[in-house]
Amino acid sequence: MASQMIVNSEQGSIVDVPGLQVGHFTLSQRLTGCSVVLAPDGAVGAVDVRGAAPGTRETDLLDPANLVDKVHAVLLSGGSAFGLDAASGVVRWLDEHGIGFETGYGRVPIVPAAVLFDLPVVRPGEDPKARPGPDAGYAACEAASRKTPDAGNVGAGAGACVGKLFGLDRCMKGGIGNASVRVGPWVVGALVACNAVGDVIDPATGQVLAGARTADGLSLLDTQRALLKGERGHRPLPGTNTTIGVVATNATLTKAQAKRLAMSAHDGLARSIRPAHTTLDGDTLFAMATGTESSQADLMLLTAMAAEATALATVDAIRHAQSIQSVTGPVPAANHLAA
């Protein structure tokens, strides 16, 4: 009897993959933060960048042709390029715990990172200059555990918004979400921080869940349909959006195979974000393979699972997002607009 894909009935998360821990840190001074996926025993790492305006760190070493094959953490952060500083705090935490690539002169932690642009999201009384830095990355590591991570307005998804092609005054709240998929001995989990310029779609129904609103702010516009009808909005600056995430598996993979996993995970973004991978986004997905399952990997199956988990995690981010009041006006969440 053929195996069937079974989505975790409780949605699941990336920590369903043995060997991983997740921690969030959300700043008190402004709605922004960072999220870390720790792999204390190391995980084969890879990355695939599909957006045209990425903000990343340590991605070249993940090329299958390059030397280092394992990462010890992946950081996702708000704060645009400033948020890349948070990775230094993750490196410091790993160094203090003796985790890293053995050089013969000490262990060097390998921590790739990606950031999203949440600088416009400022609530009344908040400090617009507050951004995740090294202390935030360190705090996220301190908070990391095997517990199912929180979702919505936390960590890297704290200041995320979606549907910005027709102006910030018509966007909706994004966030960070989780999912996992199991088939036989394999599990694939995803953690996605969604800050897309496009709308977020429920792949099961095709329904727009959150995105650009109509001019009166009361209902959803459907960005792609509006674009195809010739409507044009206030074009955001490139790089002011971006969906970033990690897809992970317990399978034993090479770097080249992990790269295929990251590439296929982007299919999940294309199913759940419309339009995706635009010139205004820096969409970046990392892959991590912990290798706790030693049976020969079925890469065809694993890539299908990666796309499914990524789509589910993107939708989860939107379903858990909460409305906020920013200095530019209300930013409703999907549950608020539906009500």
Side-chain angles (χ1 to χ4, degrees), residues 254-313:
T254 65
K255 283 179 74 175
Q257 289 173 324
K259 172 77 171 182
R260 300 303 306 184
L261 200 74
M263 292 169 66
S264 296
H266 276 283
D267 293 346
L269 294 189
R271 292 176 196 167
S272 55
I273 299 171
R274 195 168 64 198
H277 306 137
T278 74
T279 57
L280 306 175
D281 291 286
D283 298 338
T284 301
L285 292 178
F286 296 95
M288 301 173 77
T290 62
T292 59
E293 173 54 51
S294 60
S295 57
Q296 184 174 354
D298 181 341
L299 196 60
M300 176 68 78
L301 174 59
L302 289 168
T303 54
M305 293 167 69
E308 181 74 3
T310 301
L312 290 169

Short mmCIF file of all heavy atoms in Angstrom, two decimals, residues 254-313:
data_model
loop_
_atom_site.label_atom_id
_atom_site.label_comp_id
_atom_site.label_asym_id
_atom_site.label_seq_id
_atom_site.Cartn_x
_atom_site.Cartn_y
_atom_site.Cartn_z
N THR A 254 22.73 15.14 1.62
CA THR A 254 23.93 15.88 1.25
C THR A 254 23.57 17.36 1.12
O THR A 254 22.38 17.73 1.11
CB THR A 254 24.48 15.38 -0.10
OG1 THR A 254 23.51 15.68 -1.12
CG2 THR A 254 24.74 13.88 -0.06
N LYS A 255 24.59 18.21 0.98
CA LYS A 255 24.30 19.63 0.78
C LYS A 255 23.51 19.86 -0.51
O LYS A 255 22.60 20.71 -0.54
CB LYS A 255 25.60 20.44 0.74
CG LYS A 255 26.22 20.69 2.09
CD LYS A 255 27.52 21.47 1.98
CE LYS A 255 27.29 22.93 1.66
NZ LYS A 255 28.56 23.71 1.67
N ALA A 256 23.84 19.11 -1.55
CA ALA A 256 23.12 19.27 -2.82
C ALA A 256 21.66 18.86 -2.67
O ALA A 256 20.76 19.52 -3.21
CB ALA A 256 23.80 18.44 -3.92
N GLN A 257 21.40 17.80 -1.93
CA GLN A 257 20.02 17.37 -1.70
C GLN A 257 19.27 18.38 -0.84
O GLN A 257 18.09 18.66 -1.07
CB GLN A 257 20.01 15.99 -1.07
CG GLN A 257 20.44 14.87 -2.00
CD GLN A 257 20.58 13.54 -1.29
OE1 GLN A 257 21.02 13.48 -0.13
NE2 GLN A 257 20.22 12.46 -1.97
N ALA A 258 19.96 18.93 0.17
CA ALA A 258 19.33 19.96 1.01
C ALA A 258 18.99 21.19 0.18
O ALA A 258 17.96 21.84 0.42
CB ALA A 258 20.26 20.32 2.17
N LYS A 259 19.84 21.50 -0.79
CA LYS A 259 19.55 22.61 -1.69
C LYS A 259 18.26 22.36 -2.46
O LYS A 259 17.43 23.27 -2.62
CB LYS A 259 20.71 22.79 -2.67
CG LYS A 259 20.48 23.78 -3.79
CD LYS A 259 20.63 25.21 -3.33
CE LYS A 259 20.60 26.17 -4.51
NZ LYS A 259 20.78 27.56 -4.09
N ARG A 260 18.05 21.13 -2.92
CA ARG A 260 16.81 20.81 -3.62
C ARG A 260 15.61 20.98 -2.68
O ARG A 260 14.54 21.39 -3.11
CB ARG A 260 16.83 19.38 -4.15
CG ARG A 260 17.93 19.06 -5.15
CD ARG A 260 17.93 19.95 -6.37
NE ARG A 260 16.65 20.02 -7.07
CZ ARG A 260 16.46 20.69 -8.20
NH1 ARG A 260 17.47 21.36 -8.75
NH2 ARG A 260 15.28 20.72 -8.78
N LEU A 261 15.80 20.66 -1.41
CA LEU A 261 14.72 20.82 -0.44
C LEU A 261 14.34 22.29 -0.31
O LEU A 261 13.15 22.65 -0.31
CB LEU A 261 15.16 20.26 0.91
CG LEU A 261 14.05 19.92 1.90
CD1 LEU A 261 13.32 18.65 1.47
CD2 LEU A 261 14.61 19.75 3.31
N ALA A 262 15.35 23.16 -0.22
CA ALA A 262 15.09 24.60 -0.11
C ALA A 262 14.43 25.13 -1.37
O ALA A 262 13.50 25.96 -1.31
CB ALA A 262 16.39 25.35 0.16
N MET A 263 14.88 24.65 -2.52
CA MET A 263 14.28 25.10 -3.78
C MET A 263 12.81 24.70 -3.86
O MET A 263 11.95 25.52 -4.24
CB MET A 263 15.05 24.49 -4.95
CG MET A 263 16.46 25.01 -5.11
SD MET A 263 17.45 24.06 -6.30
CE MET A 263 16.58 24.42 -7.82
N SER A 264 12.51 23.47 -3.48
CA SER A 264 11.12 23.00 -3.55
C SER A 264 10.24 23.69 -2.53
O SER A 264 9.03 23.88 -2.76
CB SER A 264 11.08 21.49 -3.35
OG SER A 264 11.76 20.83 -4.39
N ALA A 265 10.83 24.08 -1.40
CA ALA A 265 10.04 24.78 -0.38
C ALA A 265 9.47 26.08 -0.94
O ALA A 265 8.38 26.52 -0.53
CB ALA A 265 10.90 25.05 0.84
N HIS A 266 10.17 26.69 -1.89
CA HIS A 266 9.65 27.92 -2.50
C HIS A 266 8.35 27.67 -3.27
O HIS A 266 7.56 28.60 -3.48
CB HIS A 266 10.70 28.53 -3.42
CG HIS A 266 11.69 29.39 -2.71
ND1 HIS A 266 11.42 30.67 -2.27
CD2 HIS A 266 12.97 29.14 -2.35
CE1 HIS A 266 12.48 31.18 -1.69
NE2 HIS A 266 13.44 30.27 -1.71
N ASP A 267 8.13 26.42 -3.70
CA ASP A 267 6.84 26.10 -4.32
C ASP A 267 5.71 26.36 -3.33
O ASP A 267 4.61 26.75 -3.71
CB ASP A 267 6.80 24.65 -4.78
CG ASP A 267 7.77 24.37 -5.93
OD1 ASP A 267 8.25 25.34 -6.54
OD2 ASP A 267 8.03 23.18 -6.20
N GLY A 268 5.99 26.12 -2.05
CA GLY A 268 5.00 26.38 -1.00
C GLY A 268 4.69 27.86 -0.88
O GLY A 268 3.53 28.25 -0.64
N LEU A 269 5.72 28.71 -1.03
CA LEU A 269 5.46 30.15 -1.03
C LEU A 269 4.62 30.55 -2.23
O LEU A 269 3.70 31.37 -2.11
CB LEU A 269 6.78 30.93 -1.04
CG LEU A 269 7.69 30.84 0.19
CD1 LEU A 269 8.83 31.85 0.07
CD2 LEU A 269 6.91 31.05 1.48
N ALA A 270 4.91 29.96 -3.39
CA ALA A 270 4.15 30.30 -4.59
C ALA A 270 2.69 29.88 -4.47
O ALA A 270 1.80 30.51 -5.06
CB ALA A 270 4.79 29.65 -5.81
N ARG A 271 2.42 28.81 -3.71
CA ARG A 271 1.04 28.37 -3.51
C ARG A 271 0.29 29.27 -2.54
O ARG A 271 -0.93 29.41 -2.63
CB ARG A 271 1.02 26.95 -2.95
CG ARG A 271 1.49 25.89 -3.90
CD ARG A 271 1.51 24.55 -3.19
NE ARG A 271 2.30 23.56 -3.92
CZ ARG A 271 2.68 22.41 -3.41
NH1 ARG A 271 2.35 22.09 -2.17
NH2 ARG A 271 3.40 21.57 -4.13
N SER A 272 1.00 29.85 -1.60
CA SER A 272 0.34 30.57 -0.51
C SER A 272 0.50 32.08 -0.56
O SER A 272 -0.13 32.79 0.23
CB SER A 272 0.86 30.05 0.85
OG SER A 272 2.27 30.16 0.92
N ILE A 273 1.30 32.59 -1.47
CA ILE A 273 1.50 34.03 -1.62
C ILE A 273 1.30 34.39 -3.09
O ILE A 273 1.86 33.73 -3.97
CB ILE A 273 2.90 34.46 -1.16
CG1 ILE A 273 3.12 34.14 0.31
CG2 ILE A 273 3.11 35.95 -1.41
CD1 ILE A 273 4.54 34.35 0.79
N ARG A 274 0.54 35.45 -3.33
CA ARG A 274 0.23 35.82 -4.72
C ARG A 274 0.24 37.34 -4.85
O ARG A 274 -0.58 38.00 -4.19
CB ARG A 274 -1.15 35.25 -5.08
CG ARG A 274 -1.47 35.23 -6.54
CD ARG A 274 -2.70 34.42 -6.84
NE ARG A 274 -3.90 34.99 -6.22
CZ ARG A 274 -5.04 34.34 -6.02
NH1 ARG A 274 -5.14 33.07 -6.35
NH2 ARG A 274 -6.08 34.93 -5.47
N PRO A 275 1.15 37.93 -5.66
CA PRO A 275 2.26 37.28 -6.33
C PRO A 275 3.43 37.05 -5.37
O PRO A 275 3.56 37.76 -4.36
CB PRO A 275 2.64 38.30 -7.41
CG PRO A 275 2.27 39.62 -6.81
CD PRO A 275 1.03 39.36 -6.00
N ALA A 276 4.26 36.05 -5.67
CA ALA A 276 5.41 35.72 -4.85
C ALA A 276 6.70 35.97 -5.63
O ALA A 276 6.67 36.11 -6.86
CB ALA A 276 5.34 34.26 -4.40
N HIS A 277 7.82 36.03 -4.92
CA HIS A 277 9.15 36.12 -5.53
C HIS A 277 9.25 37.35 -6.45
O HIS A 277 9.83 37.27 -7.53
CB HIS A 277 9.48 34.85 -6.32
CG HIS A 277 9.34 33.60 -5.53
ND1 HIS A 277 8.75 32.46 -6.02
CD2 HIS A 277 9.70 33.29 -4.26
CE1 HIS A 277 8.77 31.51 -5.10
NE2 HIS A 277 9.34 32.00 -4.02
N THR A 278 8.73 38.47 -6.01
CA THR A 278 8.71 39.66 -6.86
C THR A 278 10.03 40.43 -6.76
O THR A 278 10.89 40.13 -5.93
CB THR A 278 7.57 40.60 -6.45
OG1 THR A 278 7.91 41.26 -5.22
CG2 THR A 278 6.25 39.85 -6.28
N THR A 279 10.15 41.44 -7.59
CA THR A 279 11.32 42.31 -7.53
C THR A 279 11.34 43.16 -6.27
O THR A 279 12.35 43.78 -5.95
CB THR A 279 11.36 43.25 -8.75
OG1 THR A 279 10.14 44.00 -8.80
CG2 THR A 279 11.52 42.47 -10.04
N LEU A 280 10.22 43.19 -5.56
CA LEU A 280 10.11 43.99 -4.34
C LEU A 280 10.34 43.16 -3.08
O LEU A 280 10.36 43.70 -1.98
CB LEU A 280 8.74 44.65 -4.27
CG LEU A 280 8.34 45.49 -5.49
CD1 LEU A 280 6.92 46.00 -5.36
CD2 LEU A 280 9.30 46.66 -5.68
N ASP A 281 10.45 41.84 -3.23
CA ASP A 281 10.65 40.92 -2.10
C ASP A 281 12.08 40.38 -2.11
O ASP A 281 12.74 40.36 -3.15
CB ASP A 281 9.69 39.72 -2.21
CG ASP A 281 8.24 40.10 -1.98
OD1 ASP A 281 7.89 40.34 -0.82
OD2 ASP A 281 7.48 40.14 -2.95
N GLY A 282 12.52 39.89 -0.97
CA GLY A 282 13.83 39.23 -0.88
C GLY A 282 13.67 37.80 -0.42
O GLY A 282 14.47 37.32 0.39
N ASP A 283 12.66 37.11 -0.91
CA ASP A 283 12.27 35.78 -0.41
C ASP A 283 13.47 34.83 -0.33
O ASP A 283 14.14 34.56 -1.33
CB ASP A 283 11.20 35.17 -1.31
CG ASP A 283 9.92 36.00 -1.33
OD1 ASP A 283 9.71 36.77 -0.38
OD2 ASP A 283 9.15 35.86 -2.29
N THR A 284 13.71 34.32 0.87
CA THR A 284 14.86 33.45 1.15
C THR A 284 14.43 32.32 2.06
O THR A 284 13.84 32.56 3.12
CB THR A 284 15.98 34.25 1.84
OG1 THR A 284 16.40 35.34 1.00
CG2 THR A 284 17.18 33.36 2.16
N LEU A 285 14.73 31.08 1.65
CA LEU A 285 14.42 29.92 2.48
C LEU A 285 15.67 29.09 2.70
O LEU A 285 16.40 28.77 1.75
CB LEU A 285 13.34 29.05 1.82
CG LEU A 285 11.94 29.66 1.74
CD1 LEU A 285 11.00 28.69 1.02
CD2 LEU A 285 11.40 30.00 3.11
N PHE A 286 15.93 28.74 3.96
CA PHE A 286 17.02 27.85 4.33
C PHE A 286 16.50 26.43 4.49
O PHE A 286 15.33 26.23 4.84
CB PHE A 286 17.65 28.30 5.65
CG PHE A 286 18.30 29.64 5.59
CD1 PHE A 286 17.60 30.79 5.99
CD2 PHE A 286 19.61 29.79 5.15
CE1 PHE A 286 18.19 32.04 5.94
CE2 PHE A 286 20.21 31.04 5.09
CZ PHE A 286 19.50 32.17 5.49
N ALA A 287 17.37 25.46 4.27
CA ALA A 287 17.06 24.06 4.57
C ALA A 287 18.04 23.54 5.60
O ALA A 287 19.22 23.92 5.60
CB ALA A 287 17.12 23.20 3.31
N MET A 288 17.54 22.69 6.51
CA MET A 288 18.38 22.05 7.52
C MET A 288 18.00 20.57 7.57
O MET A 288 16.81 20.24 7.67
CB MET A 288 18.17 22.68 8.89
CG MET A 288 18.48 24.17 8.94
SD MET A 288 18.03 24.95 10.53
CE MET A 288 19.38 24.38 11.57
N ALA A 289 19.01 19.70 7.50
CA ALA A 289 18.78 18.25 7.58
C ALA A 289 19.58 17.71 8.76
O ALA A 289 20.82 17.73 8.74
CB ALA A 289 19.20 17.57 6.28
N THR A 290 18.87 17.23 9.79
CA THR A 290 19.55 16.80 11.01
C THR A 290 20.10 15.38 10.91
O THR A 290 20.96 15.00 11.71
CB THR A 290 18.60 16.89 12.21
OG1 THR A 290 17.49 16.01 12.01
CG2 THR A 290 18.11 18.31 12.42
N GLY A 291 19.61 14.57 9.98
CA GLY A 291 20.16 13.24 9.76
C GLY A 291 19.88 12.25 10.87
O GLY A 291 20.58 11.23 10.99
N THR A 292 18.83 12.48 11.67
CA THR A 292 18.51 11.51 12.73
C THR A 292 17.80 10.28 12.19
O THR A 292 17.69 9.28 12.89
CB THR A 292 17.64 12.17 13.82
OG1 THR A 292 16.45 12.67 13.23
CG2 THR A 292 18.40 13.31 14.50
N GLU A 293 17.31 10.36 10.95
CA GLU A 293 16.72 9.20 10.28
C GLU A 293 17.72 8.71 9.23
O GLU A 293 18.06 9.45 8.30
CB GLU A 293 15.39 9.57 9.61
CG GLU A 293 14.78 8.49 8.74
CD GLU A 293 14.60 7.18 9.46
OE1 GLU A 293 14.03 7.17 10.58
OE2 GLU A 293 15.05 6.14 8.91
N SER A 294 18.21 7.49 9.41
CA SER A 294 19.32 7.00 8.58
C SER A 294 18.90 6.27 7.32
O SER A 294 19.73 6.00 6.46
CB SER A 294 20.22 6.08 9.41
OG SER A 294 19.47 4.96 9.90
N SER A 295 17.61 5.93 7.18
CA SER A 295 17.19 5.20 5.98
C SER A 295 17.36 6.09 4.75
O SER A 295 17.33 7.31 4.83
CB SER A 295 15.74 4.75 6.11
OG SER A 295 14.88 5.84 6.35
N GLN A 296 17.56 5.46 3.60
CA GLN A 296 17.81 6.21 2.37
C GLN A 296 16.68 7.18 2.08
O GLN A 296 15.51 6.80 2.04
CB GLN A 296 18.00 5.26 1.20
CG GLN A 296 18.37 5.97 -0.10
CD GLN A 296 18.70 5.01 -1.22
OE1 GLN A 296 18.76 3.80 -1.02
NE2 GLN A 296 18.91 5.53 -2.42
N ALA A 297 17.05 8.42 1.86
CA ALA A 297 16.04 9.46 1.67
C ALA A 297 15.35 9.35 0.32
O ALA A 297 15.99 9.09 -0.70
CB ALA A 297 16.70 10.83 1.80
N ASP A 298 14.04 9.54 0.34
CA ASP A 298 13.25 9.62 -0.89
C ASP A 298 13.10 11.10 -1.20
O ASP A 298 12.21 11.77 -0.70
CB ASP A 298 11.88 8.96 -0.65
CG ASP A 298 11.00 8.97 -1.89
OD1 ASP A 298 11.25 9.77 -2.81
OD2 ASP A 298 10.03 8.18 -1.92
N LEU A 299 14.00 11.61 -2.03
CA LEU A 299 14.07 13.05 -2.25
C LEU A 299 12.82 13.58 -2.94
O LEU A 299 12.38 14.71 -2.66
CB LEU A 299 15.32 13.42 -3.05
CG LEU A 299 15.70 14.90 -3.02
CD1 LEU A 299 15.97 15.37 -1.60
CD2 LEU A 299 16.91 15.16 -3.90
N MET A 300 12.22 12.82 -3.83
CA MET A 300 10.97 13.25 -4.47
C MET A 300 9.89 13.50 -3.43
O MET A 300 9.21 14.53 -3.44
CB MET A 300 10.51 12.20 -5.48
CG MET A 300 9.16 12.50 -6.12
SD MET A 300 9.21 13.92 -7.22
CE MET A 300 10.00 13.16 -8.65
N LEU A 301 9.76 12.57 -2.51
CA LEU A 301 8.76 12.71 -1.46
C LEU A 301 9.10 13.87 -0.54
O LEU A 301 8.24 14.69 -0.18
CB LEU A 301 8.67 11.42 -0.65
CG LEU A 301 7.77 11.44 0.59
CD1 LEU A 301 6.33 11.79 0.22
CD2 LEU A 301 7.83 10.08 1.30
N LEU A 302 10.36 13.98 -0.14
CA LEU A 302 10.77 15.03 0.79
C LEU A 302 10.55 16.42 0.21
O LEU A 302 10.14 17.35 0.93
CB LEU A 302 12.23 14.85 1.18
CG LEU A 302 12.53 13.66 2.08
CD1 LEU A 302 14.04 13.41 2.17
CD2 LEU A 302 11.95 13.86 3.48
N THR A 303 10.80 16.59 -1.09
CA THR A 303 10.58 17.91 -1.69
C THR A 303 9.10 18.26 -1.74
O THR A 303 8.71 19.42 -1.54
CB THR A 303 11.19 17.99 -3.10
OG1 THR A 303 10.69 16.91 -3.90
CG2 THR A 303 12.70 17.91 -3.03
N ALA A 304 8.25 17.26 -1.97
CA ALA A 304 6.80 17.51 -1.93
C ALA A 304 6.37 17.89 -0.52
O ALA A 304 5.53 18.78 -0.32
CB ALA A 304 6.04 16.28 -2.41
N MET A 305 6.93 17.21 0.47
CA MET A 305 6.62 17.52 1.87
C MET A 305 7.09 18.93 2.23
O MET A 305 6.42 19.67 2.97
CB MET A 305 7.29 16.49 2.78
CG MET A 305 6.71 15.09 2.66
SD MET A 305 7.74 13.83 3.47
CE MET A 305 7.51 14.26 5.21
N ALA A 306 8.25 19.33 1.71
CA ALA A 306 8.79 20.66 2.00
C ALA A 306 7.88 21.76 1.48
O ALA A 306 7.61 22.76 2.17
CB ALA A 306 10.19 20.80 1.40
N ALA A 307 7.38 21.59 0.26
CA ALA A 307 6.46 22.58 -0.30
C ALA A 307 5.18 22.67 0.52
O ALA A 307 4.67 23.76 0.80
CB ALA A 307 6.14 22.24 -1.75
N GLU A 308 4.67 21.50 0.93
CA GLU A 308 3.43 21.48 1.71
C GLU A 308 3.63 22.14 3.07
O GLU A 308 2.81 22.97 3.51
CB GLU A 308 2.97 20.04 1.89
CG GLU A 308 1.67 19.87 2.66
CD GLU A 308 0.44 20.27 1.87
OE1 GLU A 308 0.58 20.62 0.67
OE2 GLU A 308 -0.67 20.23 2.43
N ALA A 309 4.71 21.81 3.77
CA ALA A 309 4.96 22.37 5.09
C ALA A 309 5.15 23.88 5.02
O ALA A 309 4.66 24.63 5.88
CB ALA A 309 6.18 21.71 5.73
N THR A 310 5.83 24.35 3.98
CA THR A 310 6.06 25.79 3.83
C THR A 310 4.76 26.54 3.58
O THR A 310 4.52 27.61 4.15
CB THR A 310 7.06 26.04 2.68
OG1 THR A 310 8.29 25.36 2.98
CG2 THR A 310 7.34 27.52 2.51
N ALA A 311 3.90 26.00 2.72
CA ALA A 311 2.61 26.64 2.47
C ALA A 311 1.77 26.69 3.75
O ALA A 311 1.15 27.71 4.07
CB ALA A 311 1.86 25.88 1.37
N LEU A 312 1.74 25.58 4.49
CA LEU A 312 0.96 25.53 5.73
C LEU A 312 1.50 26.51 6.77
O LEU A 312 0.73 27.16 7.49
CB LEU A 312 0.97 24.12 6.29
CG LEU A 312 0.18 23.06 5.52
CD1 LEU A 312 0.50 21.67 6.04
CD2 LEU A 312 -1.32 23.34 5.59
N ALA A 313 2.83 26.63 6.87
CA ALA A 313 3.42 27.54 7.84
C ALA A 313 3.13 29.00 7.48
O ALA A 313 2.92 29.83 8.37
CB ALA A 313 4.93 27.31 7.92
#
